[in-house]
Amino acid sequence: MGKGMQVVSTGSALRDILLGDEQYAGRRVLVPTMGALHRGHLALVKHAREVAGPDGVVVVSIFVNPIQFDREDDLEAYPRPLETDLMQCQAAGVDVVFVPDVREMYAHDRSTLVTENSLSRSLCGAARPGHFDGVCTVVLKLFMLSACHAAVFGEKDFQQLAIIRRMVRDLDVPVEIVESPTIRESDGLALSSRNVRLSATHREDAPCIFRALNEAAKLHNAEGIIRHAMKRLGESEHLKIDYLTLVDAETLQPINDLKRPSILAAAVFYDNVRLIDHVRISPP
Ligand code: AMP
């Protein structure tokens, strides 16, 4: 668009630009992130540009949202390389970066949360109480602040994506939700901002997550799939399984047969670094 990248830190400045400036009158597409940007995020930005079109506006938000963290140590250790992030946004052709601080986003006496009550019961929702309330609340706020027409989310966080789609449907939020595929390292490890916190040994071990899921997914019965993935993950002496669950791809409820499309999902800890991954399984 040739208008140069704007970086704003308040909701009112964001709305002034996006709603008050003629240059930003096109289709606005939001990419919500917590920063520490990697190629996965940049693929979302590229996808956002395609959805926005050449005259549209790509907005990236960078906000480490405290209310979606269930562990204080994880929030504190979350990487925050803002300068590098901004350079990456600039190079990727982002139009506006929204970088609010916590006080800007949350009043000290805030008392409203957005809660999804079905899809968020299993998997990460069960393992991290309150996590998806925090996600839904911040995402809805970012939708309102950016007045975006569409928003792009990674399939890597498939439960998050399903919950956001449900929230948008249930609350008639006028935002198109766009899904973008998972970007992986050449050894199969899904890119994540938390990967930089892995020790060299753990980084070397971590591709076993995706390998275990993929291998197991080739079997033809639910019990065998779980057993095989559990055995494979159990062979690593470095990781601790948080959950390994086979769920219905639509309801995200645990299942014990393969009659419908399903998802084999895992969360593991390397020390205090938690990684998630999943594979999709079609009925045999
Ligand atoms: P995060 O900064 O981790 O909150 O992620 C921001 C967005 O990037 C979410 O929509 C994620 O699903 C997406 N994302 C994170 N990692 C990847 C990846 N490896 N491939 C594609 N999208 C990703």
Side-chain angles (χ1 to χ4, degrees), residues 32-35 38 40-41 44 68 78 152-157 160 180-184 190-193:
T33 81
M34 298 205 297
H38 50 63
H41 296 113
L44 264 52
Q68 73 185 66
Y78 204 85
V152 185
F153 292 88
E155 199 262 342
K156 173 181 180 261
D157 299 282
Q160 166 172 287
S180 212
T182 303
I183 305 295
R184 298 180 178 278
L191 295 190
S192 160
S193 302

Coordinates of all heavy atoms in Angstrom, one line a residue, residues 32-35 38 40-41 44 68 78 152-157 160 180-184 190-193, ligand 1:
P32 N -3.9 -12.0 15.2 CA -3.6 -11.8 16.7 C -2.4 -12.7 17.0 O -2.4 -13.9 16.7 CB -4.8 -12.3 17.4 CG -5.9 -12.5 16.3 CD -5.2 -12.7 15.1
T33 N -1.4 -12.2 17.7 CA -0.2 -13.0 18.2 C 0.2 -12.5 19.6 O -0.2 -11.5 20.0 CB 1.0 -12.8 17.2 OG1 1.7 -11.6 17.6 CG2 0.7 -12.7 15.8
M34 N 1.0 -13.4 20.1 CA 1.7 -13.0 21.4 C 3.1 -12.6 21.1 O 3.9 -12.6 22.1 CB 1.5 -14.1 22.4 CG 0.1 -14.4 22.8 SD -0.2 -15.1 24.4 CE 0.7 -16.7 24.2
G35 N 3.5 -12.4 19.9 CA 4.9 -12.0 19.6 C 5.8 -13.1 19.6 O 5.4 -14.3 19.5
H38 N 7.7 -16.0 14.5 CA 8.5 -17.0 13.7 C 7.8 -17.2 12.4 O 6.8 -16.6 12.0 CB 8.6 -18.3 14.5 CG 7.3 -18.9 15.0 ND1 6.3 -19.3 14.2 CD2 6.8 -19.0 16.3 CE1 5.3 -19.7 14.9 NE2 5.6 -19.5 16.2
G40 N 5.9 -19.4 11.3 CA 4.4 -19.7 11.4 C 3.6 -18.5 11.4 O 2.6 -18.3 10.7
H41 N 4.0 -17.5 12.2 CA 3.2 -16.2 12.3 C 3.3 -15.5 10.9 O 2.3 -14.9 10.5 CB 3.9 -15.3 13.3 CG 3.7 -15.8 14.7 ND1 4.8 -16.1 15.5 CD2 2.7 -16.0 15.6 CE1 4.5 -16.5 16.7 NE2 3.1 -16.4 16.8
L44 N 0.9 -16.7 8.5 CA -0.4 -16.1 8.8 C -0.5 -14.7 8.2 O -1.5 -14.3 7.6 CB -0.6 -16.0 10.3 CG -1.4 -17.2 10.9 CD1 -0.9 -18.5 10.6 CD2 -1.5 -17.0 12.4
Q68 N -4.7 -15.5 29.9 CA -4.8 -16.9 29.3 C -3.7 -17.8 29.8 O -3.7 -18.9 29.4 CB -4.9 -16.8 27.8 CG -3.5 -16.5 27.1 CD -3.7 -16.4 25.6 OE1 -4.3 -15.5 25.1 NE2 -3.1 -17.3 24.9
Y78 N 7.8 -16.0 29.0 CA 7.4 -15.9 27.6 C 8.3 -14.9 26.9 O 8.5 -13.8 27.4 CB 5.9 -15.5 27.5 CG 5.3 -16.0 26.2 CD1 4.8 -17.2 26.1 CD2 5.4 -15.1 25.1 CE1 4.3 -17.7 24.8 CE2 4.9 -15.6 23.9 CZ 4.4 -16.8 23.8 OH 3.9 -17.3 22.5
V152 N -7.0 -14.1 10.9 CA -6.4 -15.4 10.5 C -5.8 -16.1 11.8 O -5.1 -15.4 12.6 CB -5.2 -15.1 9.5 CG1 -4.6 -16.4 9.0 CG2 -5.7 -14.3 8.3
F153 N -6.1 -17.4 11.9 CA -5.6 -18.2 13.0 C -4.9 -19.4 12.5 O -5.3 -20.0 11.4 CB -6.8 -18.6 13.9 CG -7.4 -17.4 14.6 CD1 -8.4 -16.7 14.1 CD2 -6.9 -17.1 15.9 CE1 -8.9 -15.6 14.7 CE2 -7.5 -16.0 16.6 CZ -8.5 -15.2 16.0
G154 N -3.9 -19.9 13.2 CA -3.2 -21.1 12.8 C -3.9 -22.4 13.2 O -4.5 -22.5 14.3
E155 N -3.9 -23.4 12.3 CA -4.5 -24.7 12.5 C -3.7 -25.4 13.6 O -4.3 -26.3 14.3 CB -4.5 -25.5 11.2 CG -5.4 -26.6 11.1 CD -4.7 -28.0 11.4 OE1 -3.5 -28.0 11.4 OE2 -5.4 -28.9 11.7
K156 N -2.5 -25.0 13.9 CA -1.7 -25.6 14.9 C -2.5 -25.6 16.3 O -2.4 -26.6 17.0 CB -0.4 -24.8 15.1 CG 0.4 -25.4 16.3 CD 1.7 -24.6 16.5 CE 2.3 -25.2 17.7 NZ 2.1 -24.4 18.9
D157 N -3.2 -24.5 16.5 CA -4.0 -24.4 17.8 C -5.4 -24.7 17.4 O -6.3 -23.8 17.5 CB -3.8 -23.0 18.4 CG -2.3 -22.8 18.8 OD1 -1.9 -23.3 19.8 OD2 -1.7 -22.1 18.0
Q160 N -8.2 -23.9 19.8 CA -8.5 -22.5 19.9 C -9.3 -22.0 18.7 O -10.3 -21.2 18.8 CB -7.1 -21.8 19.9 CG -7.1 -20.3 19.6 CD -5.8 -19.7 19.9 OE1 -5.3 -19.5 21.0 NE2 -5.1 -19.3 18.8
S180 N -5.2 -21.1 8.8 CA -3.9 -21.2 8.0 C -3.1 -22.4 8.5 O -3.1 -22.7 9.7 CB -3.1 -19.9 8.3 OG -2.3 -19.6 7.2
P181 N -2.5 -23.2 7.6 CA -1.9 -24.5 8.0 C -0.7 -24.3 8.9 O 0.0 -23.3 9.0 CB -1.5 -25.1 6.7 CG -1.6 -24.0 5.7 CD -2.4 -22.9 6.2
T182 N -0.4 -25.4 9.6 CA 0.7 -25.5 10.6 C 2.1 -25.4 9.8 O 2.3 -26.2 8.9 CB 0.7 -26.8 11.4 OG1 -0.6 -26.8 12.1 CG2 1.8 -26.8 12.4
I183 N 3.0 -24.6 10.2 CA 4.3 -24.5 9.7 C 5.3 -25.3 10.6 O 5.2 -25.1 11.8 CB 4.8 -23.1 9.5 CG1 3.8 -22.3 8.7 CG2 6.2 -23.0 8.9 CD1 3.6 -22.7 7.2
R184 N 6.1 -26.2 10.0 CA 7.0 -27.0 10.8 C 8.4 -26.8 10.4 O 8.8 -26.4 9.3 CB 6.6 -28.5 10.5 CG 5.2 -28.8 11.0 CD 4.9 -30.3 10.7 NE 3.5 -30.5 11.2 CZ 3.2 -30.7 12.5 NH1 4.1 -30.8 13.4 NH2 1.9 -30.8 12.9
A190 N 6.6 -28.6 15.1 CA 5.8 -27.5 14.8 C 6.4 -26.2 15.4 O 6.9 -26.2 16.5 CB 4.4 -27.6 15.4
L191 N 6.5 -25.2 14.6 CA 7.1 -23.9 15.1 C 6.2 -23.4 16.3 O 5.0 -23.5 16.2 CB 7.2 -22.9 14.0 CG 8.1 -23.2 12.8 CD1 8.2 -21.9 12.0 CD2 9.4 -23.6 13.3
S192 N 6.9 -22.9 17.3 CA 6.2 -22.3 18.4 C 7.2 -21.3 19.1 O 8.4 -21.5 19.1 CB 5.9 -23.4 19.4 OG 5.6 -22.8 20.7
S193 N 6.6 -20.2 19.6 CA 7.4 -19.2 20.3 C 8.1 -19.8 21.5 O 9.2 -19.3 21.9 CB 6.6 -18.1 20.8 OG 5.9 -17.5 19.7
Ligands
AMP1 P1 0.7 -17.3 19.4 O1 1.6 -16.1 19.2 O2 1.4 -18.5 19.8 O3 -0.5 -16.9 20.3 O4 0.1 -17.6 18.0 C1 -0.5 -16.6 17.2 C2 -1.1 -17.3 16.0 O5 -0.1 -17.9 15.2 C3 -2.2 -18.3 16.4 O6 -3.3 -18.2 15.4 C4 -1.4 -19.6 16.2 O7 -2.3 -20.7 15.9 C5 -0.5 -19.3 15.0 N1 0.6 -20.2 15.0 C6 1.5 -20.4 16.0 N2 2.4 -21.3 15.6 C7 2.1 -21.7 14.3 C8 2.7 -22.5 13.4 N3 3.8 -23.3 13.6 N4 2.1 -22.6 12.1 C9 1.0 -21.9 11.8 N5 0.5 -21.0 12.7 C10 1.0 -20.9 13.9

